[in-house]
Amino acid sequence: MNPGTSRTWWKTTVGVLLTAVMLFPVYWMLNVSFTRDQDMRKSPPSLFPAHGTLEGYRAVLDQQLPYLGTSLVIGLGTVVLTVALAAPAGYALAKLRPRGGGVLSFLLLVAQMVPGIIMAMGFYAIYLQLGLLQSVPGLIVADSTLAVPFAVLIFTAFMSGIPGELLQAAQMDGARALRTFWSVVLPMSRNSIVTVSLFAFLWSWSDFIFASTLANGGAHEPITLGIYHYIGNNNQQWNAIMATAVVASLPATVILVLAQRYVAAGVTAGAVKD
């Protein structure tokens, strides 16, 4: 056997084994979600649900849909707010070169290092005065603070690579900065928009700190709190708990699979310069 081929097979085998180890918790989550209550404490546990049941998923449809709907609204709202704030900011830093732009970029990096619990306490004090506690708009604004600094840096890196000649041509045709941004820069920034939207959605969908601090006990709670309450109230119904986790993972998984090629292009934008 060719030595190069041997090394390739060895690396592939190691990669497959490591991937299997990392994905085993996901498989076990699926397995338990289809397992009957009477088989849950079986020793040794079954690697496959021989007598599968959909009771866990029926419980999800009966009890968890409001939480899923709230998370979907919060996630989409966070995406819209993040893109609306970060795209113009990235364009300004990349092409308009405002005074103090370097300082602002540094502050954006620092903002990503602030622990979420500190930000949550700050939002709690502000929302208590404004009456925004336990509200969907309050969670959208809070979740956006996690995504906006990252989004501005992604947009800045991508838009820096847009040829200046295109912008100059638009200006010669009479387009002002706003029209150039809307008609030229945004259409060319599709990859970065998809990347930012995906990460903003994932952060808001999986958020627990802001949700537990700002929305706990309200009429509209996201799915992370739904799972948390479900574990506390049904600690013996593990098939329902795992079914809830599976359903909660589906939207993020589907979006990530569909958008992966745009994400790869958006993340690496600006990494290589001519």
Side-chain angles (χ1 to χ4, degrees):
M1 180 180 293
N2 189 300
T5 304
S6 177
R7 284 194 296 269
T8 300
W9 277 106
W10 180 81
K11 292 178 181 179
T12 301
T13 302
V14 172
V16 170
L17 290 176
L18 291 177
T19 302
V21 170
M22 289 186 290
L23 292 181
F24 183 77
V26 178
Y27 165 74
W28 197 250
M29 178 177 68
L30 287 168
N31 180 36
V32 174
S33 70
F34 290 107
T35 302
R36 299 181 304 177
D37 290 336
Q38 57 266 38
D39 296 333
M40 204 67 64
R41 298 183 181 276
K42 182 180 178 181
S43 182
S46 300
L47 293 177
F48 302 95
H51 306 283
T53 178
L54 294 176
E55 288 300 322
Y57 291 92
R58 294 192 185 98
V60 172
L61 296 178
D62 291 340
Q63 304 172 26
Q64 298 295 319
L65 283 184
Y67 296 104
L68 290 168
T70 300
S71 283
L72 184 61
V73 171
I74 293 172
L76 294 177
T78 301
V79 168
V80 171
L81 182 58
T82 298
V83 173
L85 293 176
Y91 171 62
L93 290 175
K95 293 301 182 182
L96 302 183
R97 308 290 183 181
R99 184 175 299 177
V103 176
L104 178 58
S105 297
F106 175 75
L107 292 178
L108 290 172
L109 288 174
V110 172
Q112 296 184 84
M113 303 177 188
V114 179
I117 188 62
I118 295 178
M119 298 177 64
M121 292 297 101
F123 275 116
Y124 184 89
I126 295 172
Y127 285 2
L128 189 62
Q129 298 296 324
L130 298 178
L132 289 175
L133 283 177
Q134 300 177 344
S135 68
V136 171
L139 276 180
I140 290 175
V141 172
D143 287 334
S144 296
T145 59
L146 296 176
V148 166
F150 169 82
V152 172
L153 295 176
I154 289 292
F155 278 126
T156 301
F158 187 91
M159 293 176 182
S160 295
I162 296 178
E165 291 80 3
L166 291 177
L167 306 185
Q168 293 173 4
Q171 293 170 1
M172 292 179 63
D173 290 339
R176 296 182 180 273
L178 182 59
R179 179 61 183 274
T180 301
F181 168 72
W182 184 261
S183 301
V184 178
V185 176
L186 275 186
M188 296 184 64
S189 304
R190 180 181 61 178
N191 291 338
S192 58
I193 291 174
V194 173
T195 301
V196 166
S197 300
L198 175 63
F199 279 97
F201 184 85
L202 292 179
W203 279 329
S204 63
W205 185 268
S206 62
D207 168 66
F208 180 76
I209 293 179
F210 286 148
S212 60
T213 305
L214 306 176
N216 196 7
H220 304 286
E221 295 181 338
I223 188 60
T224 49
L225 285 185
I227 296 175
Y228 178 72
H229 296 325
Y230 210 48
I231 292 175
N233 297 332
N234 303 276
N235 57 5
Q236 300 300 319
Q237 295 180 319
W238 282 104
N239 54 2
I241 294 172
M242 292 302 177
T244 303
V246 171
V247 173
S249 303
L250 286 178
T253 302
V254 172
I255 292 174
L256 182 59
V257 170
L258 295 178
Q260 59 180 340
R261 67 187 183 96
Y262 299 104
V263 172
V267 170
T268 58
V272 179
K273 296 292 184 180
D274 292 334

